[in-house]
Amino acid sequence: MATKRAEPVTIISLRKLSMTAPEPQPKETKTFTVEDAVETIGFGRFHIALFLIMGSTGVAEAMEIMLIAVVSPVIRCEWRLENWQVALVTTMVFFGYMVFSILFGLLADRYGRWKVGWALLPAHLWADPPSGAYFSLLTSFSPSYGWFVFLRTMVGCGVSGHSQGLIIKTEFLPTKYRGYMLPLSQVFWLAGSLLIIGLASVVIPTIGWRWLIRIASIPGIILIMAFRFIPESARFNVSTGNTQAALATLEHIARTNRSVMPEGTLVEPVLDKRGRFADLLTPKYLRTTLQIWVIWLGISFAYYGVILASAELLERDLVCGSRPESEVVVAMGDSEESRSPCYCHMFAPSDYRTMIISTLGEIALNPLNILGINFLGRRISLSITMGCTALFFLLLNICTSSSGLIGFLFMLRALVAANFNTIYIYTAEVYPTTMRALGMGTSGSLCRIGAMMAPFIAQVLMSASILGALCLFASVCVVCAISAFTLPIETKGRALQQVK
């Protein structure tokens, strides 16, 4: 039987298939965003340095703001000021803060956080850097009350740039660390407040209030050099199309943290419309913006109300008026001070101790505040602390001992500080990059309106009706608690938005 011949065509065909190389498939180009890079790089040495430098601006700001509280009795005596004139100094500082908060927010969204960040330094770099803390130093040479008010108003204008420091920290921090690191910034404000009170107790009785102001400007001068090591926000750079600068910043952070960058090419949309006030009132953000403004105004109103009310309540010897009225008349009825529209009341060592104890309250609830922010969320945490603030305002109406009153004031300071921590974080997180600084700036302006209103309630109304003043403070806090609970957006665990 003949064997079957193999088909040569089939053999040739198989050889051709085996020798033909497969066609190359096009590779997908990997891309990543700034958010991806921030999360991949993680937390490290860069963020610690950023936290220390930007947090230190809180020391400088606290010293400048609290300076008025410790200097007021001295300038009242030196220039024979009436009560409204002393209050006007504080009001004008906050007026300057209010006006320039919006301006700095607009500039930061359009031209960069770093450029506006120079305004973080107290008094603050209205001239070239070597002039450091210009207006703050000039205040110490004020020849009259009018010049003092004007120069402190300029200090308030510069201090208003402080919120941009929080923006920079927020935009560089990974999501899971924002709820922990940002509340810790309260430590720097506490340090600045305690430092200026301690310095005042030593410097004012010895070499005078003018030298206290000069010493208080030193942190701002030091920060001028330290601030140069903070890069521009990478989120801002990519929003303006400056991708190379953003990439260089991210690579620098990765090297500093000894971490790695994500693979691929940095890609973000270029956003031409930035820093527009109308964006805050678009349908998507209108309700959030209005409720945030109410909360900021109320928190500031309560915060400075606590500070001013503390002095009033202690001066009146407790809420229930334990000091007999006849004793006051005998002690003061024939004095020259009782007939004068102004009087001198210098702080005693016990007054400084009371200020230090109440100020320490601002850090007391920080651990609980951090837990609440990270586990309950920003909205619920804020509504709880605002509700408790209202409760403690009402408790001040109870007759109690001196230590009991100080305890109530201590808790109030702790609660109002926790309120500020939470609303700062929420405001920085809820808005996109194109309007984040402006959102913070406008909120800061509303905050100062509350601060400007507080003296008229804590000093003027309280002198007529303690119950009426405290009930008003409590009512405002209840409104803020409801506004916080009904905020439409929760930012806990949410990535920062780049576009609106």
Side-chain angles (χ1 to χ4, degrees):
M1 178 182 291
T3 58
K4 187 177 180 180
R5 294 179 59 188
E7 296 183 6
V9 176
T10 303
I11 296 173
I12 294 172
S13 175
L14 288 174
R15 286 177 178 173
K16 284 184 178 180
L17 286 173
S18 63
M19 295 177 62
T20 303
E23 295 183 5
Q25 298 294 325
K27 288 186 177 181
E28 286 189 16
T29 305
K30 291 185 177 181
T31 62
F32 64 91
T33 64
V34 174
E35 182 73 23
D36 298 331
V38 169
E39 297 298 330
T40 302
I41 293 170
F43 185 86
R45 293 188 298 175
F46 170 83
H47 298 92
I48 295 174
L50 176 71
F51 177 75
L52 293 175
I53 295 174
M54 302 308 294
S56 297
T57 63
V59 175
E61 185 193 11
M63 293 181 71
E64 292 295 339
I65 295 296
M66 294 298 293
L67 184 67
I68 300 300
V70 295
V71 167
S72 292
V74 190
I75 63 171
R76 179 202 296 273
C77 188
E78 180 170 327
W79 288 319
R80 306 295 293 172
L81 304 178
E82 298 184 25
N83 288 336
W84 70 267
Q85 292 175 303
V86 176
L88 183 64
V89 177
T90 304
T91 300
M92 292 306 295
V93 170
F94 290 131
F95 176 78
Y97 195 119
M98 177 189 70
V99 173
F100 274 74
S101 284
I102 298 177
L103 176 61
F104 283 143
L106 285 167
L107 294 175
D109 277 334
R110 294 185 181 182
Y111 303 108
R113 284 69 161 122
W114 191 90
K115 298 181 181 67
V116 178
W118 283 102
L120 297 172
L121 309 176
H124 286 325
L125 295 186
W126 297 86
D128 53 295
S131 300
Y134 184 61
F135 279 110
S136 186
L137 285 174
L138 282 183
T139 304
S140 67
F141 299 98
S142 300
S144 64
Y145 167 75
W147 274 106
F148 186 87
V149 172
F150 170 74
L151 292 171
R152 294 315 293 181
T153 303
M154 295 298 101
V155 172
C157 295
V159 168
S160 64
H162 172 73
S163 60
Q164 304 313 317
L166 182 74
I167 296 293
I168 291 177
K169 286 187 290 185
T170 302
E171 293 184 340
F172 277 127
L173 280 170
T175 301
K176 69 177 182 179
Y177 289 96
R178 292 200 301 265
Y180 295 96
M181 297 302 296
L182 296 180
L184 288 176
S185 300
Q186 185 67 26
V187 174
F188 294 97
W189 179 276
L190 175 68
S193 300
L194 294 177
L195 181 58
I196 196 65
I197 295 171
L199 284 172
S201 65
V202 175
V203 174
I204 291 180
T206 54
I207 55 180
W209 65 270
R210 296 180 186 272
W211 275 104
L212 176 65
I213 294 179
R214 292 163 192 162
I215 294 172
S217 66
I218 293 176
I221 297 173
I222 297 174
L223 282 171
I224 292 172
M225 300 308 299
F227 191 68
R228 300 175 71 91
F229 295 98
I230 301 300
E232 178 59 270
S233 167
R235 296 179 191 270
F236 172 81
N237 277 332
V238 295
S239 71
T240 61
N242 194 357
T243 307
Q244 291 302 316
L247 187 60
T249 298
L250 294 171
E251 289 173 345
H252 166 69
I253 296 173
R255 288 193 301 271
T256 304
N257 288 0
R258 296 177 181 176
S259 183
V260 294
M261 288 280 290
E263 295 181 3
T265 306
L266 177 61
V267 176
E268 291 276 7
V270 178
L271 307 172
D272 296 327
K273 297 178 180 179
R274 304 183 310 276
R276 300 188 309 171
F277 185 81
D279 292 339
L280 296 174
L281 304 178
T282 56
K284 181 178 179 180
Y285 289 103
L286 176 60
R287 179 181 162 189
T288 300
T289 296
L290 294 179
Q291 289 183 229
I292 284 177
W293 287 351
V294 169
I295 295 169
W296 272 94
L297 191 152
I299 288 177
S300 180
F301 180 69
Y303 180 84
Y304 293 102
V306 170
I307 294 175
L308 297 173
S310 301
E312 290 292 317
L313 293 172
L314 291 172
E315 184 179 350
R316 293 170 187 278
D317 200 3
L318 309 188
V319 175
C320 51
S322 59
R323 180 184 296 172
E325 186 177 351
S326 58
E327 179 183 337
V328 178
V329 173
V330 171
M332 298 183 60
D334 297 329
S335 69
E336 180 182 352
E337 292 180 356
S338 65
R339 299 191 298 269
S340 174
C342 54
Y343 59 91
C344 296
H345 175 71
M346 306 299 290
F347 281 143
S350 60
D351 295 318
Y352 288 114
R353 284 196 297 271
T354 301
M355 292 175 69
I356 289 175
I357 292 173
S358 61
T359 302
L360 284 171
E362 296 198 8
I363 202 68
L365 291 183
N366 223 22
L368 289 177
N369 185 217
I370 292 174
L371 289 175
I373 288 172
N374 287 282
F375 292 98
L376 298 179
R378 281 55 161 157
R379 295 181 301 182
I380 295 178
S381 178
L382 182 57
S383 62
I384 291 174
T385 54
M386 288 302 307
C388 291
T389 304
L391 175 63
F392 273 90
F393 266 118
L394 295 177
L395 289 176
L396 287 178
N397 287 288
I398 299 175
C399 259
T400 182
S401 63
S402 177
S403 59
L405 177 64
I406 292 175
F408 286 151
L409 294 175
F410 181 89
M411 283 302 300
L412 269 174
R413 289 293 289 268
L415 287 166
V416 292
N419 295 335
F420 259 128
N421 277 341
T422 310
I423 195 60
Y424 260 117
I425 295 171
Y426 182 85
T427 306
E429 291 178 335
V430 76
Y431 292 116
T433 301
T434 53
M435 49 197 281
R436 186 170 296 123
L438 180 59
M440 186 67 76
T442 54
S443 299
S445 291
L446 270 294
C447 170
R448 301 312 145 183
I449 292 177
M452 292 166 66
M453 293 167 55
F456 295 97
I457 306 303
Q459 294 175 321
V460 180
L461 179 58
M462 188 167 283
S463 64
S465 172
I466 292 177
L467 177 62
L470 294 178
C471 286
L472 180 57
F473 281 120
S475 300
V476 171
C477 291
V478 169
V479 172
C480 291
I482 296 172
S483 296
F485 187 76
T486 57
L487 281 166
I489 302 173
E490 173 58 70
T491 61
K492 172 178 171 285
R494 191 183 77 154
L496 292 182
Q497 306 298 298
Q498 185 70 9
V499 295
K500 58 181 179 294

